[in-house]
Amino acid sequence: DAGVIQSPRHEVTEMGQEVTLRCKPISGHDYLFWYRQTMMRGLELLIYFNNNVPIDDSGMPEDRFSAKMPNASFSTLKIQPSEPRDSAVYFCASSSPGPSTDTQYFGPGTRLTVL
Amino acid sequence: KQEVTQIPAALSVPEGENLVLNCSFTDSAIYNLQWFRQDPGKGLTSLLLIQSSQREQTSGRLNASLDKSSGRSTLYIAASQPGDSATYLCAVYDYGGATNKLIFGTGTLLAVQP
Protein backbone atom coordinates (compact mmCIF):
# COMPACT_ATOMS: atom_id res chain seq x y z
CA ASP A 1 0.00 0.00 0.00
CA ALA A 2 1.23 3.50 -0.79
CA GLY A 3 0.25 4.80 2.63
CA VAL A 4 -1.72 7.97 3.26
CA ILE A 5 -1.34 10.36 0.32
CA GLN A 6 -1.63 14.12 0.68
CA SER A 7 -1.53 16.86 -1.90
CA PRO A 8 -0.15 19.34 -2.44
CA ARG A 9 3.01 18.89 -0.37
CA HIS A 10 3.60 22.64 -0.30
CA GLU A 11 1.18 25.49 -0.79
CA VAL A 12 1.95 29.19 -0.80
CA THR A 13 -0.97 31.55 -1.12
CA GLU A 14 -1.96 35.09 -0.32
CA MET A 15 -4.25 36.16 2.44
CA GLY A 16 -7.89 35.97 1.46
CA GLN A 17 -7.46 33.17 -1.05
CA GLU A 18 -9.19 29.82 -0.82
CA VAL A 19 -7.00 26.82 -0.03
CA THR A 20 -7.96 23.17 -0.52
CA LEU A 21 -5.89 20.35 0.93
CA ARG A 22 -6.46 16.78 -0.21
CA CYS A 23 -6.05 13.37 1.39
CA LYS A 24 -6.35 9.77 0.26
CA PRO A 25 -6.44 7.37 3.24
CA ILE A 26 -5.12 3.84 3.27
CA SER A 27 -7.56 1.52 1.55
CA GLY A 28 -9.84 -0.23 4.01
CA HIS A 29 -9.33 2.22 6.86
CA ASP A 30 -12.57 3.41 8.39
CA TYR A 31 -11.26 6.46 10.24
CA LEU A 32 -9.70 9.61 8.81
CA PHE A 33 -8.17 12.44 10.82
CA TRP A 34 -7.02 15.97 9.98
CA TYR A 35 -4.33 17.52 12.21
CA ARG A 36 -2.52 20.84 12.24
CA GLN A 37 1.05 21.28 13.53
CA THR A 38 2.57 24.61 14.53
CA MET A 39 5.56 25.54 16.64
CA MET A 40 3.36 27.34 19.14
CA ARG A 41 0.59 24.77 19.61
CA GLY A 42 2.16 21.49 18.52
CA LEU A 43 -0.08 18.87 16.92
CA GLU A 44 -3.82 19.45 17.21
CA LEU A 45 -6.69 17.35 15.96
CA LEU A 46 -9.02 19.39 13.78
CA ILE A 47 -11.67 16.86 12.79
CA TYR A 48 -12.13 13.14 12.27
CA PHE A 49 -14.46 10.97 10.20
CA ASN A 50 -15.77 7.45 10.64
CA ASN A 51 -17.11 5.78 7.51
CA ASN A 52 -17.15 9.17 5.76
CA VAL A 53 -19.24 10.80 8.51
CA PRO A 54 -17.75 13.65 10.60
CA ILE A 55 -17.66 12.51 14.24
CA ASP A 56 -15.85 15.28 16.08
CA ASP A 57 -15.11 18.70 14.59
CA SER A 58 -14.55 20.49 17.88
CA GLY A 59 -10.95 21.20 16.91
CA MET A 60 -11.85 23.17 13.80
CA PRO A 61 -10.69 26.67 14.68
CA GLU A 62 -13.48 28.66 13.08
CA ASP A 63 -16.03 28.80 10.29
CA ARG A 64 -13.37 29.52 7.73
CA PHE A 65 -12.36 25.86 7.98
CA SER A 66 -14.45 23.07 6.49
CA ALA A 67 -13.79 19.39 5.78
CA LYS A 68 -15.56 16.86 3.64
CA MET A 69 -15.26 13.17 2.91
CA PRO A 70 -17.43 12.39 -0.13
CA ASN A 71 -16.25 8.77 -0.28
CA ALA A 72 -14.02 6.29 1.50
CA SER A 73 -10.97 7.16 -0.53
CA PHE A 74 -10.93 10.96 -0.52
CA SER A 75 -11.16 13.88 1.88
CA THR A 76 -10.61 17.62 1.62
CA LEU A 77 -9.85 20.35 4.10
CA LYS A 78 -10.76 23.80 2.87
CA ILE A 79 -9.83 27.18 4.28
CA GLN A 80 -11.75 30.17 2.97
CA PRO A 81 -10.62 32.88 3.26
CA SER A 82 -7.09 32.02 4.36
CA GLU A 83 -5.16 34.14 6.87
CA PRO A 84 -1.44 34.30 7.76
CA ARG A 85 -2.13 32.62 11.12
CA ASP A 86 -3.31 29.53 9.21
CA SER A 87 0.28 28.89 8.15
CA ALA A 88 1.17 25.43 9.46
CA VAL A 89 1.74 21.84 8.42
CA TYR A 90 -1.51 19.98 7.95
CA PHE A 91 -1.48 16.21 8.36
CA CYS A 92 -4.00 13.60 7.37
CA ALA A 93 -4.03 10.21 9.11
CA SER A 94 -6.12 7.07 8.87
CA SER A 95 -6.72 4.01 11.02
CA SER A 96 -8.72 0.85 11.38
CA PRO A 97 -10.68 -0.50 13.22
CA GLY A 98 -10.91 2.27 15.81
CA PRO A 99 -9.25 5.57 16.73
CA SER A 100 -8.31 4.50 20.21
CA THR A 101 -7.42 0.88 19.62
CA ASP A 102 -5.24 0.91 16.57
CA THR A 103 -2.33 2.76 15.14
CA GLN A 104 -2.90 5.92 13.16
CA TYR A 105 -0.92 6.16 9.94
CA PHE A 106 0.10 9.66 8.97
CA GLY A 107 0.61 11.20 5.57
CA PRO A 108 3.66 13.35 4.77
CA GLY A 109 1.75 16.57 5.40
CA THR A 110 1.01 19.75 3.47
CA ARG A 111 3.08 22.77 4.42
CA LEU A 112 0.84 25.82 4.04
CA THR A 113 2.21 29.34 3.93
CA VAL A 114 -0.25 32.23 3.80
CA LEU A 115 1.40 35.54 2.96
CA LYS B 1 -8.45 18.92 30.38
CA GLN B 2 -5.78 16.39 29.46
CA GLU B 3 -2.29 17.82 29.09
CA VAL B 4 0.73 15.88 27.86
CA THR B 5 4.25 17.04 28.69
CA GLN B 6 7.56 15.72 27.42
CA ILE B 7 10.91 16.19 29.06
CA PRO B 8 13.51 17.03 27.94
CA ALA B 9 12.58 19.23 25.01
CA ALA B 10 15.91 18.46 23.36
CA LEU B 11 18.62 15.90 23.95
CA SER B 12 22.04 15.33 22.39
CA VAL B 13 23.94 12.12 23.07
CA PRO B 14 26.96 10.30 21.62
CA GLU B 15 26.38 7.22 19.52
CA GLY B 16 26.01 4.02 21.50
CA GLU B 17 24.52 5.57 24.60
CA ASN B 18 21.31 4.27 26.15
CA LEU B 19 18.73 6.99 26.74
CA VAL B 20 15.30 7.61 28.23
CA LEU B 21 12.62 10.00 27.02
CA ASN B 22 9.89 11.00 29.43
CA CYS B 23 6.20 11.69 28.92
CA SER B 24 3.67 12.70 31.56
CA PHE B 25 -0.08 13.20 31.35
CA THR B 26 -2.47 14.85 33.78
CA ASP B 27 -5.54 12.57 33.52
CA SER B 28 -5.00 8.84 34.03
CA ALA B 29 -8.29 7.93 32.29
CA ILE B 30 -6.70 7.02 28.97
CA TYR B 31 -7.35 4.25 26.47
CA ASN B 32 -3.78 3.86 25.36
CA LEU B 33 -0.56 5.71 24.74
CA GLN B 34 1.48 5.88 21.57
CA TRP B 35 5.04 6.90 20.83
CA PHE B 36 5.73 8.40 17.42
CA ARG B 37 8.83 9.47 15.56
CA GLN B 38 8.89 12.49 13.26
CA ASP B 39 11.74 13.16 10.87
CA PRO B 40 12.26 16.71 9.54
CA GLY B 41 9.73 17.57 6.85
CA LYS B 42 8.01 14.23 7.21
CA GLY B 43 4.89 12.81 8.80
CA LEU B 44 4.70 10.79 11.98
CA THR B 45 5.64 7.13 12.21
CA SER B 46 4.16 5.04 15.00
CA LEU B 47 6.81 3.29 17.08
CA LEU B 48 4.91 1.63 19.90
CA LEU B 49 1.34 1.51 21.12
CA ILE B 50 0.63 0.55 24.74
CA GLN B 51 -2.92 -0.42 25.66
CA SER B 52 -4.17 0.89 29.00
CA SER B 53 -4.08 -2.62 30.47
CA GLN B 54 -0.43 -3.14 29.51
CA ARG B 55 2.70 -2.03 31.34
CA GLU B 56 5.17 -2.04 28.48
CA GLN B 57 5.85 -2.78 24.84
CA THR B 58 9.10 -3.62 23.10
CA SER B 59 10.22 -3.34 19.50
CA GLY B 60 13.84 -3.98 18.70
CA ARG B 61 15.98 -1.46 20.57
CA LEU B 62 12.91 0.41 21.81
CA ASN B 63 11.03 -0.24 25.02
CA ALA B 64 8.10 1.84 26.20
CA SER B 65 6.58 1.62 29.65
CA LEU B 66 3.30 2.94 30.99
CA ASP B 67 2.31 3.77 34.57
CA LYS B 68 -1.24 5.07 34.43
CA SER B 69 -1.54 5.71 38.15
CA SER B 70 1.35 8.13 38.12
CA GLY B 71 0.53 9.51 34.67
CA ARG B 72 3.89 8.63 33.17
CA SER B 73 5.45 6.83 30.25
CA THR B 74 9.05 6.38 29.26
CA LEU B 75 10.64 5.46 25.96
CA TYR B 76 13.96 3.68 26.36
CA ILE B 77 16.31 3.56 23.37
CA ALA B 78 19.20 1.13 23.67
CA ALA B 79 22.53 1.58 21.92
CA SER B 80 21.52 4.78 20.15
CA GLN B 81 22.54 5.35 16.52
CA PRO B 82 22.76 8.51 14.40
CA GLY B 83 19.74 7.23 12.47
CA ASP B 84 17.69 7.58 15.66
CA SER B 85 17.98 11.36 15.39
CA ALA B 86 14.44 12.73 15.09
CA THR B 87 11.66 14.27 17.15
CA TYR B 88 9.87 11.80 19.41
CA LEU B 89 6.25 12.47 20.32
CA CYS B 90 4.06 10.72 22.81
CA ALA B 91 0.29 10.88 22.55
CA VAL B 92 -2.59 9.61 24.67
CA TYR B 93 -6.05 8.62 23.64
CA ASP B 94 -8.20 10.68 25.92
CA TYR B 95 -11.60 9.37 26.96
CA GLY B 96 -14.01 12.17 26.19
CA GLY B 97 -17.44 10.68 26.47
CA ALA B 98 -18.81 9.91 23.02
CA THR B 99 -15.61 10.73 21.26
CA ASN B 100 -11.98 10.17 21.87
CA LYS B 101 -8.94 11.76 20.38
CA LEU B 102 -5.15 11.71 20.43
CA ILE B 103 -3.60 14.39 22.63
CA PHE B 104 0.02 15.00 21.68
CA GLY B 105 2.95 16.12 23.75
CA THR B 106 5.30 18.80 22.44
CA GLY B 107 8.03 16.32 21.62
CA THR B 108 11.68 15.66 22.39
CA LEU B 109 14.21 16.53 19.70
CA LEU B 110 16.92 13.87 19.80
CA ALA B 111 20.33 14.23 18.19
CA VAL B 112 22.68 11.25 18.26
CA GLN B 113 26.23 12.31 17.47
CA PRO B 114 28.43 9.88 15.50
Side-chain angles (χ1 to χ4, degrees), chain A residues 1-7 9 22-29 31-32 72-74 92-95 103-109, chain B residues 43-45:
Chain A
D1 198 314
V4 176
I5 299 173
Q6 290 187 248
S7 63
R9 292 294 311 277
R22 298 172 177 79
C23 175
K24 176 179 170 56
I26 293 173
S27 177
H29 281 190
Y31 289 82
L32 183 139
S73 60
F74 183 66
C92 176
S94 67
S95 75
T103 299
Q104 290 188 19
Y105 294 86
F106 280 71
Chain B
L44 280 68
T45 301

Short mmCIF file of all heavy atoms in Angstrom, two decimals, chain A residues 1-7 9 22-29 31-32 72-74 92-95 103-109, chain B residues 43-45:
data_model
loop_
_atom_site.label_atom_id
_atom_site.label_comp_id
_atom_site.label_asym_id
_atom_site.label_seq_id
_atom_site.Cartn_x
_atom_site.Cartn_y
_atom_site.Cartn_z
N ASP A 1 0.85 -1.20 0.00
CA ASP A 1 0.00 0.00 0.00
C ASP A 1 0.88 1.24 0.00
O ASP A 1 1.93 1.26 0.62
CB ASP A 1 -0.89 -0.02 1.24
CG ASP A 1 -2.08 0.92 1.09
OD1 ASP A 1 -1.88 2.06 0.65
OD2 ASP A 1 -3.19 0.51 1.41
N ALA A 2 0.42 2.30 -0.68
CA ALA A 2 1.23 3.50 -0.79
C ALA A 2 1.19 4.34 0.48
O ALA A 2 1.91 5.32 0.58
CB ALA A 2 0.73 4.34 -1.96
N GLY A 3 0.39 3.99 1.43
CA GLY A 3 0.25 4.80 2.63
C GLY A 3 -0.75 5.92 2.40
O GLY A 3 -1.42 6.01 1.36
N VAL A 4 -0.83 6.82 3.37
CA VAL A 4 -1.72 7.97 3.26
C VAL A 4 -1.08 8.98 2.30
O VAL A 4 0.10 9.32 2.44
CB VAL A 4 -1.97 8.62 4.63
CG1 VAL A 4 -2.82 9.87 4.49
CG2 VAL A 4 -2.62 7.62 5.58
N ILE A 5 -1.85 9.44 1.34
CA ILE A 5 -1.34 10.36 0.32
C ILE A 5 -1.98 11.73 0.53
O ILE A 5 -3.20 11.85 0.66
CB ILE A 5 -1.64 9.84 -1.09
CG1 ILE A 5 -0.97 8.48 -1.30
CG2 ILE A 5 -1.18 10.83 -2.15
CD1 ILE A 5 -1.34 7.79 -2.60
N GLN A 6 -1.14 12.75 0.55
CA GLN A 6 -1.63 14.12 0.68
C GLN A 6 -1.13 14.97 -0.47
O GLN A 6 0.00 14.79 -0.95
CB GLN A 6 -1.16 14.74 2.00
CG GLN A 6 -1.81 14.14 3.23
CD GLN A 6 -1.44 14.89 4.50
OE1 GLN A 6 -0.72 14.37 5.36
NE2 GLN A 6 -1.92 16.12 4.62
N SER A 7 -1.96 15.91 -0.88
CA SER A 7 -1.53 16.86 -1.90
C SER A 7 -2.20 18.21 -1.66
O SER A 7 -3.30 18.27 -1.09
CB SER A 7 -1.91 16.35 -3.30
OG SER A 7 -3.31 16.25 -3.44
N ARG A 9 2.06 19.00 -1.47
CA ARG A 9 3.01 18.89 -0.37
C ARG A 9 3.36 20.28 0.17
O ARG A 9 3.62 20.44 1.36
CB ARG A 9 4.28 18.20 -0.84
CG ARG A 9 4.10 16.73 -1.18
CD ARG A 9 3.75 15.89 0.06
NE ARG A 9 4.63 16.14 1.18
CZ ARG A 9 5.81 15.57 1.33
NH1 ARG A 9 6.24 14.70 0.44
NH2 ARG A 9 6.56 15.86 2.38
N ARG A 22 -5.86 18.05 0.17
CA ARG A 22 -6.46 16.78 -0.21
C ARG A 22 -5.78 15.60 0.47
O ARG A 22 -4.58 15.66 0.75
CB ARG A 22 -6.41 16.61 -1.72
CG ARG A 22 -7.19 17.68 -2.47
CD ARG A 22 -6.99 17.61 -3.95
NE ARG A 22 -7.81 18.60 -4.67
CZ ARG A 22 -7.51 19.88 -4.77
NH1 ARG A 22 -6.40 20.37 -4.23
NH2 ARG A 22 -8.32 20.69 -5.42
N CYS A 23 -6.57 14.55 0.70
CA CYS A 23 -6.05 13.37 1.39
C CYS A 23 -6.70 12.11 0.84
O CYS A 23 -7.92 12.06 0.66
CB CYS A 23 -6.30 13.47 2.89
SG CYS A 23 -5.82 12.00 3.83
N LYS A 24 -5.86 11.10 0.62
CA LYS A 24 -6.35 9.77 0.26
C LYS A 24 -5.89 8.83 1.37
O LYS A 24 -4.69 8.59 1.52
CB LYS A 24 -5.79 9.33 -1.07
CG LYS A 24 -6.16 7.91 -1.48
CD LYS A 24 -5.57 7.56 -2.84
CE LYS A 24 -5.71 6.08 -3.15
NZ LYS A 24 -7.11 5.62 -3.08
N PRO A 25 -6.83 8.26 2.13
CA PRO A 25 -6.44 7.37 3.24
C PRO A 25 -6.00 6.01 2.72
O PRO A 25 -6.17 5.69 1.56
CB PRO A 25 -7.73 7.26 4.06
CG PRO A 25 -8.82 7.43 3.05
CD PRO A 25 -8.28 8.42 2.06
N ILE A 26 -5.48 5.21 3.61
CA ILE A 26 -5.12 3.84 3.27
C ILE A 26 -6.40 3.05 3.01
O ILE A 26 -7.37 3.15 3.77
CB ILE A 26 -4.30 3.20 4.40
CG1 ILE A 26 -2.93 3.89 4.51
CG2 ILE A 26 -4.13 1.70 4.19
CD1 ILE A 26 -2.10 3.46 5.69
N SER A 27 -6.39 2.28 1.94
CA SER A 27 -7.56 1.52 1.55
C SER A 27 -8.00 0.59 2.67
O SER A 27 -7.18 -0.13 3.26
CB SER A 27 -7.24 0.70 0.29
OG SER A 27 -8.34 -0.10 -0.07
N GLY A 28 -9.30 0.63 2.97
CA GLY A 28 -9.84 -0.23 4.01
C GLY A 28 -9.91 0.40 5.38
O GLY A 28 -10.52 -0.16 6.30
N HIS A 29 -9.26 1.54 5.57
CA HIS A 29 -9.33 2.22 6.86
C HIS A 29 -10.65 2.98 6.98
O HIS A 29 -11.07 3.67 6.07
CB HIS A 29 -8.15 3.19 7.00
CG HIS A 29 -6.87 2.51 7.38
ND1 HIS A 29 -5.74 3.20 7.76
CD2 HIS A 29 -6.55 1.20 7.44
CE1 HIS A 29 -4.78 2.34 8.03
NE2 HIS A 29 -5.25 1.12 7.84
N TYR A 31 -11.37 5.17 9.56
CA TYR A 31 -11.26 6.46 10.24
C TYR A 31 -10.26 7.35 9.50
O TYR A 31 -9.19 6.88 9.09
CB TYR A 31 -10.79 6.28 11.68
CG TYR A 31 -11.84 5.68 12.58
CD1 TYR A 31 -12.05 4.30 12.62
CD2 TYR A 31 -12.63 6.49 13.40
CE1 TYR A 31 -13.02 3.75 13.44
CE2 TYR A 31 -13.60 5.94 14.22
CZ TYR A 31 -13.80 4.56 14.23
OH TYR A 31 -14.76 4.03 15.04
N LEU A 32 -10.60 8.64 9.42
CA LEU A 32 -9.70 9.61 8.81
C LEU A 32 -9.64 10.83 9.70
O LEU A 32 -10.67 11.31 10.20
CB LEU A 32 -10.18 10.00 7.40
CG LEU A 32 -9.27 10.97 6.64
CD1 LEU A 32 -9.16 10.57 5.18
CD2 LEU A 32 -9.71 12.40 6.78
N ALA A 72 -14.99 6.92 0.60
CA ALA A 72 -14.02 6.29 1.50
C ALA A 72 -12.57 6.52 1.12
O ALA A 72 -11.67 6.22 1.90
CB ALA A 72 -14.30 4.79 1.57
N SER A 73 -12.34 7.04 -0.06
CA SER A 73 -10.97 7.16 -0.53
C SER A 73 -10.52 8.61 -0.74
O SER A 73 -9.46 8.85 -1.32
CB SER A 73 -10.77 6.38 -1.83
OG SER A 73 -11.63 6.89 -2.83
N PHE A 74 -11.30 9.58 -0.24
CA PHE A 74 -10.93 10.96 -0.52
C PHE A 74 -11.52 11.90 0.52
O PHE A 74 -12.69 11.79 0.89
CB PHE A 74 -11.42 11.35 -1.92
CG PHE A 74 -11.03 12.73 -2.35
CD1 PHE A 74 -9.70 13.05 -2.57
CD2 PHE A 74 -11.99 13.72 -2.54
CE1 PHE A 74 -9.33 14.32 -2.97
CE2 PHE A 74 -11.63 14.99 -2.95
CZ PHE A 74 -10.32 15.29 -3.16
N CYS A 92 -2.87 14.51 7.44
CA CYS A 92 -4.00 13.60 7.37
C CYS A 92 -3.52 12.25 7.89
O CYS A 92 -2.36 11.87 7.64
CB CYS A 92 -4.48 13.51 5.93
SG CYS A 92 -5.81 12.34 5.64
N ALA A 93 -4.38 11.54 8.60
CA ALA A 93 -4.03 10.21 9.11
C ALA A 93 -5.25 9.31 8.97
O ALA A 93 -6.39 9.79 8.92
CB ALA A 93 -3.58 10.28 10.56
N SER A 94 -5.01 8.00 8.90
CA SER A 94 -6.12 7.07 8.87
C SER A 94 -5.84 5.89 9.77
O SER A 94 -4.67 5.62 10.10
CB SER A 94 -6.42 6.62 7.44
OG SER A 94 -5.38 5.81 6.91
N SER A 95 -6.89 5.18 10.17
CA SER A 95 -6.72 4.01 11.02
C SER A 95 -7.91 3.08 10.88
O SER A 95 -8.96 3.46 10.38
CB SER A 95 -6.57 4.42 12.50
OG SER A 95 -7.81 4.81 13.05
N THR A 103 -3.29 1.75 15.52
CA THR A 103 -2.33 2.76 15.14
C THR A 103 -2.88 3.69 14.07
O THR A 103 -3.54 3.24 13.14
CB THR A 103 -1.06 2.08 14.61
OG1 THR A 103 -0.51 1.28 15.63
CG2 THR A 103 -0.04 3.09 14.14
N GLN A 104 -2.59 4.96 14.21
CA GLN A 104 -2.90 5.92 13.16
C GLN A 104 -1.70 6.03 12.24
O GLN A 104 -0.56 6.15 12.69
CB GLN A 104 -3.23 7.28 13.75
CG GLN A 104 -4.56 7.31 14.50
CD GLN A 104 -4.98 8.70 14.91
OE1 GLN A 104 -4.51 9.71 14.37
NE2 GLN A 104 -5.89 8.79 15.86
N TYR A 105 -1.97 6.03 10.94
CA TYR A 105 -0.92 6.16 9.94
C TYR A 105 -1.02 7.55 9.33
O TYR A 105 -2.08 7.94 8.83
CB TYR A 105 -1.08 5.08 8.86
CG TYR A 105 -0.86 3.69 9.37
CD1 TYR A 105 -1.91 2.97 9.95
CD2 TYR A 105 0.39 3.09 9.32
CE1 TYR A 105 -1.70 1.69 10.45
CE2 TYR A 105 0.60 1.81 9.80
CZ TYR A 105 -0.44 1.12 10.37
OH TYR A 105 -0.23 -0.14 10.87
N PHE A 106 0.08 8.27 9.40
CA PHE A 106 0.10 9.66 8.97
C PHE A 106 0.62 9.82 7.55
O PHE A 106 1.53 9.09 7.13
CB PHE A 106 0.99 10.49 9.90
CG PHE A 106 0.31 10.87 11.20
CD1 PHE A 106 0.05 9.91 12.17
CD2 PHE A 106 -0.08 12.17 11.43
CE1 PHE A 106 -0.57 10.26 13.36
CE2 PHE A 106 -0.70 12.53 12.62
CZ PHE A 106 -0.95 11.56 13.59
N GLY A 107 0.06 10.79 6.84
CA GLY A 107 0.61 11.20 5.57
C GLY A 107 1.80 12.11 5.76
O GLY A 107 2.13 12.48 6.89
N PRO A 108 2.45 12.52 4.67
CA PRO A 108 3.66 13.35 4.77
C PRO A 108 3.38 14.80 5.12
O PRO A 108 4.30 15.54 5.45
CB PRO A 108 4.27 13.24 3.38
CG PRO A 108 3.10 12.99 2.49
CD PRO A 108 2.14 12.16 3.29
N GLY A 109 2.11 15.20 5.05
CA GLY A 109 1.75 16.57 5.40
C GLY A 109 1.75 17.53 4.23
O GLY A 109 2.40 17.30 3.20
N GLY B 43 5.99 13.11 7.89
CA GLY B 43 4.89 12.81 8.80
C GLY B 43 5.35 12.01 9.98
O GLY B 43 6.54 11.79 10.19
N LEU B 44 4.40 11.56 10.78
CA LEU B 44 4.70 10.79 11.98
C LEU B 44 4.68 9.30 11.67
O LEU B 44 3.84 8.82 10.93
CB LEU B 44 3.67 11.08 13.07
CG LEU B 44 3.85 12.35 13.88
CD1 LEU B 44 3.62 13.60 13.05
CD2 LEU B 44 2.92 12.34 15.08
N THR B 45 5.60 8.58 12.32
CA THR B 45 5.64 7.13 12.21
C THR B 45 5.42 6.55 13.59
O THR B 45 6.11 6.91 14.54
CB THR B 45 7.00 6.67 11.68
OG1 THR B 45 7.22 7.24 10.39
CG2 THR B 45 7.03 5.14 11.56
#
